[in-house]
């Protein structure tokens, strides 16, 4: 994950810990703003970060990492090593931790597969011996003969030309042969469980629908004069806003929720190559045109919530 670490690590002169610390009341809110996460997400991750052994300054030092239980896991050590900046500080800040986990939640499946490949052998091709060694770490109770057989199957799938090594393209192709739902389950990560996100979405007044608020203070006059929120197809501006928020995420999941099949998505991608944001926008436009009056804002809002894209779902609360 070395090449991805630059997305997480913030330069010293721009780090949020220059203006706050765990003893200040704005520690959570400042990090929420800096990492573009909700207060609830940052509070949850702050608890987890403390459990990892951070110090009073809110940093996870190299010494603390060496003493922790997870230091015995070679994969965990490798991941954490990538997060340590090269400025000599040898520590992981809470801000870096937030940005890394935000990436784990929002990155596309392809980016996650690529990151896993780079984590295994620093981006270098994987040979059979190395794969067996990795399997021995993952399945220490299994016999070496069984692991060698598993490695052979891996290479049959990911190295069909018999080169004796698996490169990034072969690894991605092999992993992508797994069923989409299986991949999403294996690589999915939510900072907050979906049920907690939905509860947050329902309970915060600015996220609530007018119909829900109306149930608290019923008014027949308002019911007659104000159309139900979200019952109209969203305008182009709304679709563009959603596209901007989800094109870097696994937006194909949203397409599936809206009734698009893999072939439909592939046709859109081929029609607008090298422009994923426009692909998302066109997918949403096609959904609106296809479903007509049934393509309501609340339908898109729920699809986004189901995919854990709460920030994009909030856009729909204005329509």
């Amino acid at each position: 994950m070395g090449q991805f670490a630059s997305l997480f690590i913030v330069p010293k002169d721009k780090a949020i810990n220059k203006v706050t610390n765990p003893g200040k009341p704005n520690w959570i809110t400042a990090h929420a703003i800096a990492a573009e996460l909700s207060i609830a997400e940052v509070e949850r991750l702050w608890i987890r970060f403390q459990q990892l052994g951070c110090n009073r300054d809110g940093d996870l030092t190299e010494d603390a990492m060496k003493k922790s239980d997870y230091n015995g896991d070679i994969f965990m050590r490798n991941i954490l090593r990538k997060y340590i900046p090269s400025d000599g500080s040898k520590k992981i800040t809470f801000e870096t931790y937030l940005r890394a986990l935000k990436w784990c939640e929002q990155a596309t499946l392809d980016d996650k597969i690529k990151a896993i490949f780079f984590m295994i052998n620093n981006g270098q091709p994987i040979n059979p011996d190395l794969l067996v060694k990795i399997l021995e770490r993952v399945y220490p109770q299994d016999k070496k003969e069984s692991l060698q057989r598993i490695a052979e199957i891996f290479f049959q799938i990911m190295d069909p030309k018999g080169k004796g090594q698996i490169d990034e393209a072969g690894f991605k192709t092999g992993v992508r042969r797994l069923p989409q739902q299986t991949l999403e389950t294996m690589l999915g990560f939510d900072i907050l469980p979906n049920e907690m996100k939905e509860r947050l979405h329902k309970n915060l007044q600015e996220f609530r629908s007018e119909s829900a608020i109306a149930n608290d203070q019923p008014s027949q006059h308002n019911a007659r004069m104000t159309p139900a929120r979200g019952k109209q197809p969203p305008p182009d501006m709304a679709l563009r806003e959603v596209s901007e928020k989800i094109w870097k995420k696994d937006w194909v999941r949203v397409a599936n929720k809206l009734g698009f099949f893999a072939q439909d998505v592939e046709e859109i991608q081929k029609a607008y190559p090298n422009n994923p944001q426009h692909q998302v926008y066109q997918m949403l436009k096609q959904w609106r045109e296809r479903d007509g009056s049934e393509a309501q804002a609340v339908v898109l809002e729920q699809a986004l919530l189901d995919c854990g894209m709460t920030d994009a779902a909030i856009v729909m609360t204005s329509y």
Side-chain angles (χ1 to χ4, degrees):
M1 293 182 68
Q3 68 169 239
F4 295 93
S6 60
L7 302 174
F8 318 139
I9 299 174
V10 182
K12 276 186 176 181
D13 58 335
K14 296 182 180 180
I16 197 68
N17 62 7
K18 299 291 287 184
V19 296
T20 186
N21 62 64
K24 291 185 177 181
N26 70 338
W27 174 254
I28 297 296
T29 54
H31 277 85
I33 293 170
E36 297 182 341
L37 292 169
S38 70
I39 296 294
E41 288 172 319
V42 175
E43 286 178 337
R44 183 181 179 88
L45 292 180
W46 175 233
I47 292 173
R48 296 287 182 262
F49 198 61
Q50 292 177 89
Q51 291 172 342
L52 289 175
C54 70
N55 60 23
R56 293 182 179 180
D57 295 324
D59 298 324
L60 187 61
T61 65
E62 188 177 41
D63 288 340
M65 287 184 272
K66 288 179 180 178
K67 295 176 183 177
S68 299
D69 293 338
Y70 51 76
N71 188 57
D73 188 316
I74 188 172
F75 299 109
M76 184 63 73
R77 286 204 309 272
N78 196 20
I79 291 172
L80 291 175
R81 194 180 301 118
K82 303 300 183 185
Y83 292 159
I84 296 176
S86 57
D87 57 11
S89 60
K90 302 218 170 171
K91 62 185 180 183
I92 298 173
T93 67
F94 182 47
E95 185 176 5
T96 293
Y97 178 75
L98 290 178
R99 292 179 182 277
L101 292 187
K102 179 181 178 182
W103 182 90
C104 289
E105 180 177 64
Q106 298 185 353
T108 64
L109 287 178
D110 284 344
D111 279 346
K112 289 181 180 180
I113 294 169
K114 184 175 182 179
I116 292 171
F117 177 78
F118 272 78
M119 181 190 71
I120 292 174
N121 195 29
N122 295 316
Q124 299 302 311
I126 304 167
N127 59 47
D129 290 340
L130 176 61
L131 183 55
V132 171
K133 289 179 180 178
I134 292 171
L135 293 173
E136 287 175 341
R137 295 275 187 175
V138 178
Y139 306 107
Q141 306 301 323
D142 288 16
K143 294 181 179 180
K144 189 169 184 176
E145 294 77 10
S146 299
L147 300 180
Q148 288 175 331
R149 178 55 185 157
I150 294 174
E152 289 175 5
I153 295 173
F154 263 75
F155 270 80
Q156 288 173 7
I157 296 173
M158 300 184 180
D159 180 32
K161 294 183 179 180
K163 295 180 180 179
Q165 61 180 20
I166 300 173
D167 57 16
E168 181 185 337
F171 184 81
K172 178 181 174 181
T173 300
V175 173
R176 268 298 191 177
R177 289 181 180 177
L178 292 171
Q180 181 80 5
Q181 187 172 357
T182 300
L183 262 182
E184 291 176 0
T185 301
M186 293 172 61
L187 301 181
F189 173 79
D190 295 312
I191 293 175
L192 294 178
N194 280 333
E195 61 271 15
M196 189 179 295
K197 287 184 180 179
E198 290 179 10
R199 191 161 61 247
L200 177 69
H201 189 274
K202 291 177 182 177
N203 291 342
L204 292 181
Q205 185 170 355
E206 60 267 34
F207 296 160
R208 296 172 63 192
S209 66
E210 290 179 12
S211 58
I213 297 173
N215 287 334
D216 295 337
Q217 296 179 334
S219 170
Q220 292 183 355
H221 174 74
N222 286 341
R224 289 195 302 269
M225 298 299 293
T226 305
R229 183 195 69 81
K231 295 299 182 182
Q232 299 296 321
D236 285 351
M237 181 175 64
L239 300 186
R240 290 188 185 280
E241 285 186 57
V242 171
S243 302
E244 289 175 1
K245 289 184 176 294
I246 73 172
W247 71 272
K248 290 183 179 180
K249 306 176 185 179
D250 193 8
W251 62 268
V252 175
R253 292 179 61 194
V254 179
N256 294 153
K257 291 285 183 181
L258 296 177
F260 289 88
F261 296 102
Q263 183 178 352
D264 301 324
V265 173
E266 288 175 4
E267 289 177 356
I268 294 172
Q269 292 172 327
K270 289 179 180 178
Y272 305 95
N274 304 319
N275 193 341
Q277 183 172 336
H278 197 61
Q279 292 169 7
V280 179
Y281 176 61
Q282 291 299 325
M283 179 273 291
L284 293 174
K285 283 186 65 177
Q286 287 187 26
W287 161 72
R288 188 180 61 184
E289 294 168 3
R290 183 196 68 199
D291 289 10
S293 61
E294 297 299 317
Q296 301 172 354
V298 290
V299 174
L300 178 54
E301 179 184 344
Q302 188 59 54
L304 293 165
L305 284 173
D306 290 344
C307 296
M309 302 180 188
T310 309
D311 57 336
I314 292 171
V315 172
M316 290 295 99
T317 64
S318 302
Y319 298 94

